[in-house]
Amino acid sequence: MPDHAAPSIRATRDVADAQRGSAPDTASLRLMANAIRALSMDAIEHAASGHPGLPLGMADVAAVLYGRFIKADSQQPHWPDRDRFVLSAGHGSMLLYALLHLMGHQDMSIADLKAFRQLGARAAGHPEYGHATGIETTTGPLGQGLATAIGMAMAERMQAAHYGDALVDHRTWVLASDGDLMEGVSQEAITLAGRLGLGRLIVLFDDNDISIDGNIGLVDATDQIARFDASAWHTQRVDGHDHEAVAHAIEAALADPRPSLIACRTVIGLGAPTKQGTPAAHSSPLGTKEVEGVRAHFGWTAAPFEIPADARAAWDAAATRARAARTAWQARLDAAAPETKAAFLAAVSNDRPAGLDAAIATAKQRFLANPKNMAVRKASEAVLEALVPAIPEIVTGSADLTSANFTKIPGFEPISADDFSGRYVYWGIREHAMAAAMNGMVLHGGMIPASGTFLAFSDYCRPALRLAALMGVGSIHVMTHDSIGLGEDGPTHQPVEHLAALRAIPNLLLLRPADGIEAAECWQIAIEERRRPSVMALCRQEVPPVRLDETTENRSARGAYELAAAQGKAQATIFATGSEVHIALAGRDLLRAAGIEARVVSIPSFELFAEQSREYQDSVIGDAPAKVAVEAAIRQGWDAIIGRHGGFVGMHGFGASGKPADLYNHFGITPEAVRDAVRQQLSAHA
Amino acid sequence: MPDHAAPSIRATRDVADAQRGSAPDTASLRLMANAIRALSMDAIEHAASGHPGLPLGMADVAAVLYGRFIKADSQQPHWPDRDRFVLSAGHGSMLLYALLHLMGHQDMSIADLKAFRQLGARAAGHPEYGHATGIETTTGPLGQGLATAIGMAMAERMQAAHYGDALVDHRTWVLASDGDLMEGVSQEAITLAGRLGLGRLIVLFDDNDISIDGNIGLVDATDQIARFDASAWHTQRVDGHDHEAVAHAIEAALADPRPSLIACRTVIGLGAPTKQGTPAAHSSPLGTKEVEGVRAHFGWTAAPFEIPADARAAWDAAATRARAARTAWQARLDAAAPETKAAFLAAVSNDRPAGLDAAIATAKQRFLANPKNMAVRKASEAVLEALVPAIPEIVTGSADLTSANFTKIPGFEPISADDFSGRYVYWGIREHAMAAAMNGMVLHGGMIPASGTFLAFSDYCRPALRLAALMGVGSIHVMTHDSIGLGEDGPTHQPVEHLAALRAIPNLLLLRPADGIEAAECWQIAIEERRRPSVMALCRQEVPPVRLDETTENRSARGAYELAAAQGKAQATIFATGSEVHIALAGRDLLRAAGIEARVVSIPSFELFAEQSREYQDSVIGDAPAKVAVEAAIRQGWDAIIGRHGGFVGMHGFGASGKPADLYNHFGITPEAVRDAVRQQLSAHA
């Protein structure tokens, strides 16, 4: 892809530096912090539910960050070059809602705060992406925000490498808790950020030494500073209630080329007479008496949900400062070369990529021109080779299985700390951070990330897949080695329940193509789906092509379709997915030889099929007396199609280590088994 | 529980120290290491599949460990006080199989090695627990072995605290790779071990700087020594091919009270002329030419699968040394106080606990004596209060949700680095390491661990749950807050797909009791199930009791049963689980008022129900024309019971933040919805 960098244009960093001159003084910061505290307590008491400890403890840090540093425009909250702020400790949601209200976000009014935690509220229990502007990602499951933020910071550097610092030059800020840092995914995220030298990532750690069960020392002896140092971060520790100290630490973090951790020593629930510094402040409303104590401690006398004029003025000034850089950015965008501007705006639009259909057609033509047995993971690689030149937003990668996933096509260069212009990510053995960071890339905008790992290891990244589905994020997860067909590595590596377990996640597409043509169609679906994640389950072993029809229609898009019709009236319908479709076809041939007519239905996606009209579904399922499903996985979910008494040729437990062909025979997933299952069905009906 | 410690008996540590005097010299260690290398290469070439890099690289370390330090008896491989060796880098399985063969395990013959990776082989692609003696746990999914080993080391200390060092005094050794240390779960495991000061845990890190995608530097900049230092480990780095240096490092590790990391600098695929030190040596057979090069490098001239007499003699001597401590241990066991000996042997027998039935009966009586609305998580606590005095092997804990999971009953003391006599574990915010370590506790023997977290976070520990199921490990996972009924925390915390996703895992029991009586029955099932893991899904909200029948029969044990019969012929059957059973009953009342007779079936476990006879299943499902299921979760899996056109009152996507009652109304999971669904079913059939 062309390099759109325009280095002659002054970097926004200078602009941001300049703005800091007009930053609020300590007195203003104190007012600002107390406004956060008051609103947080008021909303939590009003809701009789919520987590006051974090907003009370981190209000000072938040005031400094928003008062002096953050670059964002509440009037244009989707401004592409805004800083991203991620409240990884999502239980402290009132801190974020208070910030958004005070910064002037129109969709976070006092009325919204009064609805905190009630059904339908924008101010949900945890921050929910899409509920209000300024909520950059959904958080709550610990560690996810931090790992998601890594992806945002990666996206920023990758876009800057392509479009230039003039258009892309922002920071990613994370507020993280002890809990965030204790979850394993945090280590994956931290080490990845360290290796990539994500200097524009700054983590503000709420170092309050308290978790629900007690003091952190009860469960952890880790020196977090030393831990981050070990992975090439810049680290500092400050008094999180000392505004100037926090500000100086942030200045130092900005000046250092490494990702930064600022451990902010704070008191959870600061000001609460008996609860501060204890787990009691964490996750329950403080109660009237403690709230009064906090108010007294900070000299806050305004009525609940009221912000005094001086505090409001300080926040208004902060909002004005924060948005100042946008004007200059807009000028730079307008001054940019037209092709740079157009390419940038197209990338961040999140629209359907223009070149998609032609690329898919090309891929299909290639398969049809040279039909041969091939692993569907290899077919996927061939589709990517057609797609990638047409869609510059695609970024692929693998969690240390590059040579097995086939997601790195010729010419793809990896990104590194020194060069972010590549389009491939060596994620390392970090499935969880990979999936979470991909969420961050999509949320950042302008990227279509596609990962690689084994399907069995979808378990390792499942919390991030779920968040992708919940947020409606169109990440694409290439998961190869999708059944016992992977062979000798055995049951730990052989998915049997994973197809069902992924189909169970609402708003996630599980795509399991049977050959090259279906792989092309599934890639088309996945690229089009910018509002839900896709998992592509691809077989390791070679399978024959099952589709040789020349069509630009995406037959997989309806989820299921009749692949092979019966001659005359069908006595049986055989349903199959992926690498078992050819077994279904061979079973049909055996049945025909035995005088039994069967049709074959391919089901690349249960979810898409479930979205079709009842009439279409009924027509595909059909009314043949025998219904048999073939899938090298467990039965769960298939009863919806074949019924409780339908025939199932598949797995009934875990796999085993052995040659793929031996395993298919051993577990009875063969054309003969299909034939016998149909016969059994027919005799049961006779 | 009584303290069975008998401190006057000499500790085995002294015995082990003494044996080291007769340890093999460097020449013998060289022979021993080369025997590992040769067998590993031979088996991998024979199978034309496998991972030679690790056995070639770590053979020297393994020879030192087995030659001089490990305490184990291949003739009595289940000896309770043996050292545990965990090959966390399970892809290097041939190293373990070679070790087991050379140490004299009868069930790992040369014929077994020749069957490596073939269907039915004991020497499977990755080490599979139960396939052969000496395989202490299944490994392959990276990081799991390390985290499992933490649990083994915890179990050792906890048992030593109860039965004394005379009977329990062994070590846990882990061979871990870069990949193990890059997975997030490793951080949870490392920090937990550091906090608990597990000094008998020694991790031998195959520090070879290579992963599949290339040099580690490509993806990670972490200083592992510094990282472990940060979490209170004892750390060293040595040349992994220098036998004496490795031995000295192990001596130093044994002398330090902290858990130890020994980073062993090795060359992957050492000796392979062109492949050593490169990813090419990792996961594919080396090929004839490279194998010849390795053999020449090490001067190994024996035919494939042949072990020269001098090497065999060195290994025999190692096996003799390793088992020497067993005789002294047996003498100490025989000399122990009879009650100590009996209690110890009962604990490690893994038999059905004697006091189980009486304790369950007590718990049931308490519920019947005082029937009232209560959260099933609270009911579970009440059951635990009856169970714990009767079953000393039970150890409970929570991943920082003690006050929400109710797994810490009065009188339970937490374990700590200073005192392992407690029976409660503050796991910290480490769901993944918790589940993996619980596997290790069960594999170690003598423990029945029960965890605590929220059901939504089963995703965080899913890889370890899967391994529990694959290995047949009877861990118990208390997972509360099991639906939208948790309320305000919102969709990130509300499981909707998790019941289905857990039911999908083969050999795992998902138990979802409806009230106190069912909770008692489900606990009885979970405790009895020593060969498969259980997940107890428990609601946060209060629900009325649905069972008031006085019975010692465990009605939940059949998975599903008719809870409420119809008066006369039923026109509908309403199926429900857990917190929705009372809604089904209320729906039945509404229907009766409308002149429609319905029966209600409670299904605490799909898996147990699927194991019943076809006749029983048919009788429970019944033939009423209307079938309606009620579960505050997605439909997947229910079609097997209610059919594709059955009525479903449940969730169709993610939840929301709000009051529990508002959510049940919003999502239409109410008695009225049940009534209407039945009516719709009946009209469709009319």
Side-chain angles (χ1 to χ4, degrees):
Chain A
M1 97 186 276
D3 181 3
H4 294 289
S8 65
I9 301 178
R10 189 177 56 153
T12 48
R13 181 176 288 213
D14 306 340
V15 179
D17 285 346
Q19 257 107 42
R20 259 174 245 137
S22 61
D25 59 15
T26 301
S28 297
L29 289 172
R30 200 173 303 132
L31 271 177
M32 291 168 68
N34 290 341
I36 294 172
R37 291 188 171 100
L39 283 180
S40 298
M41 287 192 300
D42 293 344
I44 290 166
E45 294 300 313
H46 192 72
S49 176
H51 299 70
L54 185 144
L56 290 176
M58 284 296 278
D60 295 307
V61 173
V64 172
L65 173 61
Y66 275 75
R68 294 203 185 164
F69 295 97
I70 212 153
K71 181 171 90 169
D73 185 350
S74 57
Q75 311 304 312
Q76 300 230 10
H78 303 295
W79 172 30
D81 200 35
R82 71 190 180 281
D83 285 358
R84 267 62 168 182
F85 174 70
V86 173
L87 180 69
S88 191
H91 54 271
S93 57
M94 262 317 301
L95 176 94
L96 177 60
Y97 303 144
L99 282 169
L100 295 178
H101 170 75
L102 293 164
M103 288 290 283
H105 285 256
Q106 295 300 311
D107 53 356
M108 195 55 74
S109 66
I110 289 291
D112 289 310
L113 300 184
K114 286 182 174 173
F116 178 53
R117 292 195 150 226
Q118 305 310 303
L119 183 59
R122 292 194 177 105
H126 289 82
E128 301 287 344
Y129 178 69
H131 278 216
T133 60
I135 301 173
E136 301 283 3
T137 183
T138 293
T139 51
L142 290 168
Q144 295 297 324
L146 173 60
T148 302
I150 306 296
M152 295 177 178
M154 290 169 71
E156 193 270 349
R157 284 296 83 197
M158 294 173 81
Q159 289 198 334
H162 288 296
Y163 304 108
D165 282 348
L167 300 188
V168 185
D169 177 34
H170 50 271
R171 300 193 177 84
T172 304
W173 307 87
V174 180
L175 195 167
S177 64
D178 294 291
D180 287 305
L181 300 190
M182 218 180 299
E183 290 284 3
V185 66
S186 69
Q187 180 69 8
E188 300 182 16
I190 290 163
T191 55
L192 182 62
R195 171 68 288 185
L196 289 174
L198 298 174
R200 281 145 185 279
L201 175 74
I202 297 162
V203 174
L204 303 158
F205 165 34
D206 181 14
D207 189 10
N208 65 21
D209 252 349
I210 294 293
S211 73
I212 294 175
D213 278 356
N215 288 321
I216 292 297
L218 188 69
V219 292
D220 198 13
T222 300
D223 177 343
Q224 295 290 355
I225 295 286
R227 173 195 180 195
F228 279 74
D229 282 339
S231 290
W233 282 59
H234 172 247
T235 57
Q236 301 171 83
R237 171 164 277 138
V238 295
D239 176 349
H241 301 301
D242 180 336
H243 297 129
E244 293 308 324
V246 171
H248 287 139
I250 293 177
E251 295 282 0
L254 295 177
D256 194 279
R258 294 166 292 177
S260 273
L261 172 78
I262 304 175
C264 307
R265 297 294 297 191
T266 64
V267 176
I268 191 171
L270 183 67
T274 72
K275 293 186 176 178
Q276 73 171 2
T278 78
H282 174 75
S283 45
S284 300
L286 294 172
T288 311
K289 203 161 173 184
E290 293 280 315
V291 169
E292 278 172 12
V294 178
R295 289 172 155 263
H297 179 84
F298 291 107
W300 190 266
T301 55
F305 293 108
E306 280 189 19
I307 304 297
D310 51 356
R312 184 67 78 184
W315 272 107
D316 288 349
T320 302
R321 183 210 57 74
R323 78 168 57 99
R326 203 186 59 72
T327 318
W329 177 86
Q330 187 66 50
R332 290 197 300 279
L333 179 67
D334 293 340
E339 66 275 19
T340 300
K341 180 177 177 179
F344 175 78
L345 292 177
V348 299
S349 73
N350 212 18
D351 288 344
R352 191 176 192 283
L356 177 59
D357 294 344
I360 294 298
T362 299
K364 282 187 169 182
Q365 281 304 325
R366 288 178 189 161
F367 289 124
L368 292 172
N370 183 21
K372 61 178 178 184
N373 288 11
M374 69 193 303
V376 182
R377 61 179 174 146
K378 284 294 289 181
S380 164
E381 180 186 42
V383 177
L384 267 176
E385 285 177 19
L387 273 177
V388 159
I391 305 177
E393 291 85 2
I394 295 178
V395 175
T396 67
S398 172
D400 199 45
L401 291 168
T402 297
S403 55
N405 299 142
F406 296 127
T407 44
K408 186 170 187 290
I409 66 164
F412 257 30
E413 291 300 322
I415 62 167
S416 71
D418 302 322
D419 185 355
F420 282 91
S421 65
R423 290 171 68 188
Y424 191 78
V425 183
Y426 284 121
W427 289 102
I429 302 157
R430 303 181 180 104
E431 298 84 5
H432 200 169
M434 172 172 73
M438 287 166 66
N439 290 349
M441 287 179 163
V442 175
L443 293 167
H444 178 276
M447 315 220 103
I448 303 178
S451 73
T453 187
F454 288 166
L455 182 60
F457 302 145
S458 61
D459 281 350
Y460 273 78
C461 54
R462 197 169 164 90
L465 294 178
R466 182 176 208 252
L467 274 188
L470 178 59
M471 291 190 282
V473 152
S475 50
I476 301 171
H477 299 267
V478 175
M479 295 193 174
T480 67
H481 296 57
D482 72 346
S483 78
I484 54 167
L486 66 85
E488 289 88 346
D489 276 345
T492 53
H493 287 51
Q494 291 163 356
V496 294
E497 76 276 26
H498 300 77
L499 297 176
L502 290 165
R503 286 171 182 147
I505 299 178
N507 200 42
L508 180 143
L509 285 188
L510 189 283
L511 303 163
R512 191 168 189 243
D515 69 357
I517 297 292
E518 280 199 358
E521 292 178 345
C522 288
W523 266 108
Q524 187 173 30
I525 294 164
I527 299 279
E528 280 182 337
E529 285 283 354
R530 299 294 81 227
R531 292 288 176 195
R532 53 180 165 178
S534 300
V535 171
M536 308 263 282
L538 307 176
C539 65
R540 178 196 188 210
Q541 73 271 30
E542 289 196 351
V543 290
V546 300
R547 281 275 299 278
L548 295 167
D549 52 317
E550 201 157 337
T551 176
T552 54
E553 182 199 344
N554 189 326
R555 301 184 71 191
S556 301
R558 303 188 84 172
Y561 62 94
E562 185 179 83
L563 173 66
Q567 292 175 350
K569 186 156 176 61
Q571 294 171 268
T573 299
I574 310 168
F575 304 88
T577 79
S579 54
E580 284 70 70
V581 173
H582 77 94
I583 294 173
L585 290 169
R588 171 174 170 264
D589 293 344
L590 291 180
L591 286 163
R592 179 166 290 166
I596 300 169
E597 270 302 313
R599 53 197 281 275
V600 172
V601 169
S602 177
I603 315 189
S605 169
F606 276 40
E607 298 78 32
L608 293 174
F609 185 52
E611 291 169 9
Q612 305 304 308
S613 69
R614 178 74 171 258
E615 292 70 31
Y616 180 76
Q617 290 184 40
D618 286 346
S619 76
V620 170
I621 292 175
D623 54 6
K627 291 187 178 69
V628 170
V630 198
E631 186 169 67
I634 61 159
R635 179 173 181 136
Q636 189 186 96
W638 277 103
D639 295 277
I641 289 168
I642 59 174
R644 180 173 170 235
H645 300 299
F648 182 68
V649 175
M651 299 294 290
H652 303 278
F654 292 108
S657 171
K659 292 191 177 72
D662 289 349
L663 294 171
Y664 270 87
N665 282 323
H666 175 72
F667 291 108
I669 305 174
T670 62
E672 292 74 18
V674 172
R675 177 197 59 199
D676 295 347
V678 166
R679 279 183 166 160
Q680 192 179 7
Q681 289 277 303
L682 290 175
S683 67
H685 282 84
Chain B
M1 97 187 273
D3 183 1
H4 294 287
S8 65
I9 302 178
R10 191 177 53 152
T12 49
R13 181 175 287 212
D14 305 339
V15 179
D17 284 346
Q19 258 107 40
R20 258 173 246 138
S22 62
D25 59 16
T26 301
S28 297
L29 289 173
R30 200 173 301 131
L31 271 176
M32 290 168 67
N34 291 341
I36 295 171
R37 292 188 170 99
L39 283 180
S40 298
M41 287 193 300
D42 294 343
I44 290 167
E45 294 300 313
H46 192 72
S49 176
H51 300 70
L54 184 144
L56 289 176
M58 284 297 277
D60 294 308
V61 173
V64 173
L65 173 61
Y66 275 74
R68 295 202 184 165
F69 295 97
I70 212 155
K71 181 171 88 169
D73 185 349
S74 56
Q75 311 304 312
Q76 299 231 11
H78 302 296
W79 172 29
D81 199 35
R82 72 192 180 279
D83 284 0
R84 268 63 168 181
F85 174 70
V86 173
L87 180 70
S88 192
H91 54 271
S93 56
M94 263 316 302
L95 176 93
L96 177 60
Y97 303 144
L99 281 170
L100 295 179
H101 170 75
L102 292 164
M103 288 291 282
H105 284 255
Q106 296 299 311
D107 55 355
M108 195 55 76
S109 66
I110 289 291
D112 289 310
L113 300 184
K114 285 183 174 171
F116 179 53
R117 290 193 151 231
Q118 305 311 302
L119 183 59
R122 292 194 177 103
H126 290 80
E128 299 289 343
Y129 177 70
H131 278 216
T133 59
I135 301 174
E136 301 283 4
T137 181
T138 295
T139 51
L142 290 168
Q144 294 297 324
L146 173 60
T148 302
I150 306 297
M152 294 177 178
M154 291 169 70
E156 193 270 348
R157 283 295 83 197
M158 294 173 79
Q159 289 199 334
H162 288 296
Y163 304 107
D165 282 348
L167 301 189
V168 185
D169 177 34
H170 51 270
R171 299 191 176 86
T172 304
W173 307 87
V174 180
L175 195 166
S177 64
D178 294 292
D180 286 305
L181 300 190
M182 219 180 298
E183 290 285 3
V185 67
S186 69
Q187 181 69 9
E188 299 182 16
I190 291 164
T191 55
L192 182 62
R195 172 67 288 183
L196 289 174
L198 299 173
R200 282 143 184 280
L201 175 74
I202 297 163
V203 174
L204 303 158
F205 166 34
D206 182 14
D207 188 11
N208 65 21
D209 251 349
I210 294 293
S211 73
I212 293 175
D213 279 356
N215 289 321
I216 293 297
L218 187 70
V219 292
D220 197 14
T222 300
D223 176 343
Q224 295 290 357
I225 295 286
R227 174 197 180 195
F228 279 74
D229 281 339
S231 290
W233 282 57
H234 171 247
T235 57
Q236 302 170 80
R237 171 164 277 140
V238 295
D239 176 350
H241 301 300
D242 180 336
H243 297 130
E244 294 307 325
V246 171
H248 287 139
I250 292 178
E251 295 282 0
L254 295 178
D256 196 278
R258 294 167 291 178
S260 272
L261 172 77
I262 304 175
C264 307
R265 296 295 296 190
T266 64
V267 176
I268 191 171
L270 183 67
T274 71
K275 294 186 175 177
Q276 73 171 2
T278 78
H282 174 75
S283 47
S284 301
L286 294 172
T288 312
K289 205 162 170 180
E290 294 279 316
V291 169
E292 279 172 11
V294 178
R295 288 172 156 263
H297 180 83
F298 290 106
W300 190 268
T301 55
F305 292 108
E306 281 188 19
I307 304 299
D310 51 356
R312 183 68 76 182
W315 273 107
D316 288 348
T320 301
R321 183 210 57 75
R323 77 168 60 98
R326 204 187 56 74
T327 317
W329 177 85
Q330 186 67 48
R332 290 196 301 277
L333 179 66
D334 294 339
E339 65 275 20
T340 301
K341 180 176 177 180
F344 175 76
L345 293 178
V348 299
S349 72
N350 212 20
D351 288 343
R352 189 175 193 284
L356 177 57
D357 294 344
I360 295 298
T362 299
K364 282 187 170 181
Q365 281 306 327
R366 289 179 189 160
F367 290 124
L368 292 173
N370 183 20
K372 60 178 178 183
N373 287 12
M374 69 193 302
V376 181
R377 61 179 174 145
K378 283 295 288 181
S380 164
E381 180 187 42
V383 177
L384 267 176
E385 286 177 17
L387 274 177
V388 159
I391 306 178
E393 292 85 4
I394 295 177
V395 175
T396 67
S398 171
D400 199 45
L401 290 168
T402 297
S403 55
N405 299 142
F406 296 125
T407 44
K408 186 170 186 291
I409 64 164
F412 258 29
E413 291 301 321
I415 61 166
S416 72
D418 302 321
D419 185 354
F420 282 92
S421 64
R423 289 171 70 187
Y424 192 80
V425 183
Y426 284 121
W427 289 102
I429 301 155
R430 305 182 179 104
E431 299 84 5
H432 199 171
M434 172 174 71
M438 287 166 67
N439 291 348
M441 287 178 165
V442 176
L443 293 167
H444 178 278
M447 314 219 102
I448 302 178
S451 73
T453 187
F454 288 168
L455 182 61
F457 302 145
S458 61
D459 282 352
Y460 273 77
C461 55
R462 197 168 164 90
L465 295 179
R466 182 176 208 253
L467 275 188
L470 177 58
M471 292 190 281
V473 152
S475 49
I476 302 171
H477 300 267
V478 175
M479 294 192 174
T480 67
H481 296 57
D482 72 347
S483 78
I484 54 168
L486 66 85
E488 289 88 346
D489 277 345
T492 54
H493 286 51
Q494 291 163 355
V496 293
E497 76 276 26
H498 300 77
L499 297 177
L502 289 166
R503 288 170 181 148
I505 299 179
N507 200 42
L508 180 144
L509 285 188
L510 189 283
L511 303 164
R512 191 167 189 245
D515 69 356
I517 297 292
E518 279 199 359
E521 292 178 344
C522 287
W523 266 109
Q524 185 172 31
I525 294 164
I527 298 280
E528 280 182 337
E529 286 283 355
R530 298 292 82 227
R531 293 288 177 193
R532 54 181 165 179
S534 300
V535 170
M536 308 264 280
L538 307 176
C539 65
R540 177 193 190 214
Q541 72 272 31
E542 289 196 352
V543 290
V546 299
R547 281 273 298 280
L548 296 169
D549 51 315
E550 201 158 336
T551 176
T552 55
E553 183 198 344
N554 189 325
R555 300 184 73 189
S556 301
R558 303 188 83 171
Y561 62 93
E562 185 178 83
L563 173 66
Q567 292 176 348
K569 186 159 175 59
Q571 293 171 270
T573 300
I574 310 167
F575 305 88
T577 79
S579 54
E580 283 71 67
V581 172
H582 77 94
I583 295 174
L585 289 169
R588 170 173 170 266
D589 292 343
L590 291 180
L591 285 163
R592 179 166 289 167
I596 300 170
E597 270 302 312
R599 55 196 279 277
V600 172
V601 169
S602 177
I603 316 189
S605 169
F606 276 40
E607 299 78 31
L608 293 174
F609 185 51
E611 290 168 11
Q612 305 305 309
S613 69
R614 178 74 171 258
E615 292 69 33
Y616 180 76
Q617 289 184 40
D618 287 346
S619 76
V620 169
I621 292 176
D623 55 5
K627 293 188 179 66
V628 170
V630 199
E631 186 170 69
I634 61 158
R635 178 173 182 136
Q636 186 175 306
W638 277 102
D639 296 277
I641 289 168
I642 58 174
R644 180 170 171 239
H645 300 299
F648 182 69
V649 175
M651 298 295 290
H652 303 278
F654 293 107
S657 171
K659 293 190 176 72
D662 290 349
L663 294 170
Y664 271 86
N665 282 324
H666 176 72
F667 291 108
I669 305 175
T670 61
E672 292 74 19
V674 172
R675 177 196 61 201
D676 295 347
V678 167
R679 279 182 165 158
Q680 192 180 6
Q681 288 278 302
L682 291 175
S683 67
H685 281 85

